Amino acid sequence: MDKLTLLWQSTSLAHFEIGQVVMMAVGCLLLFLAIVKKFEPLLLLPIGFGAILTNIPLAGFSDPGGLLYYIYHVGIETGVFPLLIFMGVGAMTDFSALIANPRMLLLGAAAQFGIFGTLFGAIALNLVPGFEFTLKDASAIAIIGGADGPTAIFLASKLAPELLGAIAVAAYSYMALVPIIQPPIMRLLTTEDERNIKMAQLRVVSKREKIIFPLAVLLMTILFLPSATPLIGMFCLGNLMKESGVVDRLSNTAQNELINIVTIFLGLAVGSKLSADKFLTLETLGILGLGAIAFSIGTAAGILMAKALGKFSSEKINPLIGAAGVSAVPMAARVVNKVGLETNPHNFLLMHAMGPNVAGVLGSAVAAGILLALVG
Amino acid sequence: MQPDVMSLLLEAGMLLLVGMSVVFLFLTLLIGAVNVIAWASAKFPEEVPKSVNKARSSSSPTTNQSGVPAPVVAAISAAVEQYRRQH
């Protein structure tokens, strides 16, 4: 009989807590979203699986000495994984649309209103009983509005590690939902005539400009915002490797093998933070709600800025491209293109939207640097 | 609790102002930088076109050898020049 009790005690069945079961269900939901709905599968699949692994009783994946504990410790607590991903993203980014029309940077800047507006909103949520967000928590939540996974994980790991799981899941889920969240806002804020506007073709950008650009961005970040240099520095390194054309092997590795390897571990590590005591809280609901608001505000601010810019500009600007300012490369630009084509099947806005889109990446990295400098 | 939230809200409002100003300032400066880069690139054209010119002048005898008459070569290059100037 003793032996039977011992055997029973060594099974998970005897040790399951209700929270762990619920979190495993959340992990399965993420797997479902990734596999069936194809929502950001590259991240949601490892995150969902990580959530299942970390909630297995007795296995101790996330206890000191466990696999996920080390992956998290090595990659996220140190900030290394999001930065390596950012290098890969840099190596995949083509700035020519932005260099050809640099004013698009203003659209990328305006969309960051989503971040700072949500920061305000997160603090205002403290007026509701049950919420107690500190300024650090609020900043980490607000960065979801930057619509940039690595930036959100980097900032959350520095400012509010205990909220990281919820923030990362919210950020990636909403990035997958960009085609659903953005179009209604875009249609609401623009008239049919505005959506019809055709933009002048972009000039050809020389190779030398593309090589100098990342260096110029880095120099300005060094001078004015050193707290953003980890993000911008790695991003510029990746971009320079691509544009210089002399280290194709490194550039290819950064945008393929390396980013893929890191993505697996990043997903698992984020999943390991989806434990019941940290995720099944009222705060998670607040974070999910605030994330949606952040995306919406960012989209709206970008469109309104594009409208304002169009009024003062000699060249016509289609206000739809402002929506791409929220980064989420290249999904947001594709959404702009799609909404533009609905109004006029001959109006291709994809290249024009890539400008604000990559500007949004820079903008959210700058915003993250500001939050690190002022709140961190 | 309430006054605490008020001071936090005030701080968040300040962050909103400062943050947006810095983002705009930084990216506006970057616009200036991109314009300077574009201006400099236009002012000092890349070496590549020069070498193309050299290649063109050195290769014109060979094209003559290959049977294309010099006036035809001249006419085509003039048309190309004109096209490049217009676009």
Side-chain angles (χ1 to χ4, degrees):
Chain A
M1 195 60 205
D2 272 1
K3 292 273 185 263
L4 267 180
T5 323
L6 207 64
L7 195 66
W8 170 247
Q9 284 299 324
S10 71
T11 64
S12 289
L13 291 169
H15 294 270
F16 260 128
E17 291 160 20
I18 183 76
Q20 289 170 327
V21 178
V22 174
M23 285 318 293
M24 281 188 168
V26 170
C28 290
L29 174 72
L30 293 178
L31 288 181
F32 171 80
L33 289 177
I35 297 169
V36 181
K37 297 278 177 193
K38 308 268 189 314
F39 278 8
E40 296 278 331
L42 288 176
L43 271 140
L44 288 190
L45 193 143
I47 291 178
F49 210 86
I52 295 177
L53 291 183
T54 196
N55 284 294
I56 300 174
L58 306 180
F61 273 99
S62 293
D63 299 333
L67 173 68
L68 296 182
Y69 171 84
Y70 281 118
I71 294 178
Y72 181 84
H73 181 66
V74 167
I76 295 197
E77 224 168 272
T78 56
V80 169
F81 284 170
L83 293 178
L84 286 177
I85 299 248
F86 225 52
M87 179 173 77
V89 174
M92 286 192 261
T93 302
D94 183 358
F95 277 112
S96 23
L98 187 62
I99 301 172
N101 194 358
R103 277 175 308 169
M104 293 298 119
L105 278 164
L106 291 177
L107 302 181
Q112 307 317 317
F113 191 73
I115 294 179
F116 294 101
T118 306
L119 202 161
F120 196 76
I123 294 292
L125 208 57
N126 280 350
L127 293 171
V128 180
F131 287 103
E132 275 181 45
F133 290 130
T134 63
L135 212 53
K136 283 187 177 182
D137 296 344
S139 308
I141 296 165
I143 201 73
I144 297 173
D148 197 272
T151 309
I153 293 173
F154 181 73
L155 199 72
S157 70
K158 299 276 178 235
L159 295 181
E162 71 284 355
L163 300 178
L164 187 122
I167 289 173
V169 167
Y172 282 110
S173 312
Y174 288 129
M175 274 163 69
L177 289 175
V178 157
I180 298 166
I181 299 176
Q182 285 198 320
I185 303 170
M186 293 158 81
R187 291 192 199 103
L188 186 74
L189 291 176
T190 53
T191 63
E192 176 127 13
D193 285 343
E194 286 170 331
R195 289 200 292 274
N196 246 325
I197 294 176
K198 283 196 178 171
M199 295 180 64
Q201 207 179 353
L202 295 171
R203 74 176 169 94
V204 179
V205 174
S206 69
K207 190 184 168 195
R208 197 163 56 171
E209 284 173 275
K210 286 200 241 178
I211 293 176
I212 299 173
F213 183 78
L215 294 171
V217 174
L218 181 64
L219 177 70
M220 288 192 44
T221 319
I222 292 171
L223 292 179
F224 301 112
L225 206 61
S227 58
T229 41
L231 282 166
I232 303 253
M234 292 305 279
F235 190 77
C236 289
L237 170 63
N239 193 246
L240 187 65
M241 291 199 294
K242 167 180 183 272
E243 298 298 355
S244 65
V246 291
V247 285
D248 281 343
R249 280 165 47 186
L250 305 188
S251 163
N252 286 337
T253 303
Q255 51 183 300
N256 296 297
E257 293 85 354
L258 184 61
I259 202 169
N260 290 344
I261 292 168
V262 177
T263 300
I264 295 174
F265 290 126
L266 184 82
L268 280 174
V270 169
S272 79
K273 286 284 124 176
L274 294 181
S275 57
D277 55 325
K278 300 213 178 77
F279 195 80
L280 295 179
T281 57
L282 190 61
E283 282 165 351
T284 303
L285 274 183
I287 290 170
L288 289 173
L290 286 166
I293 294 173
F295 261 68
S296 312
I297 299 179
T299 306
I303 295 173
L304 294 178
M305 185 71 196
K307 277 183 149 187
L309 209 59
K311 288 225 162 59
F312 295 106
S313 159
S314 51
E315 287 168 32
K316 284 184 181 168
I317 295 176
N318 189 319
L320 288 179
I321 63 168
V326 294
S327 68
V329 183
M331 187 87 89
R334 280 195 204 136
V335 170
V336 170
N337 194 44
K338 194 166 153 262
V339 176
L341 287 177
E342 277 171 17
T343 318
N344 179 353
H346 301 292
N347 197 4
F348 291 93
L349 292 169
L350 188 65
M351 272 321 282
H352 297 287
M354 280 317 284
N357 214 185
V358 293
V361 178
L362 288 179
S364 47
V366 169
I370 295 167
L371 289 174
L372 270 181
L374 297 182
V375 183
Chain B
M1 180 70 201
Q2 210 72 349
D4 204 37
V5 173
M6 275 304 149
S7 71
L8 270 179
L9 269 179
L10 208 65
E11 216 170 325
M14 279 307 291
L15 265 178
L16 172 71
L17 277 181
V18 174
M20 282 313 284
S21 323
V22 176
V23 169
F24 265 101
L25 205 67
F26 187 88
L27 293 182
T28 311
L29 281 172
L30 197 57
I31 295 179
V34 173
N35 283 331
V36 169
I37 296 171
W39 174 81
S41 300
K43 185 102 178 165
F44 310 101
E46 285 180 56
E47 309 253 310
V48 185
K50 274 184 194 164
S51 62
V52 167
N53 277 338
K54 272 181 208 158
R56 199 189 289 157
S57 56
S58 65
S59 68
S60 54
T62 53
T63 47
N64 274 350
Q65 279 170 4
S66 69
V68 181
V72 174
V73 174
I76 291 174
S77 33
V80 168
E81 283 289 309
Q82 199 180 351
Y83 178 84
R84 282 196 182 143
R85 242 176 279 137
Q86 281 169 353
H87 291 267

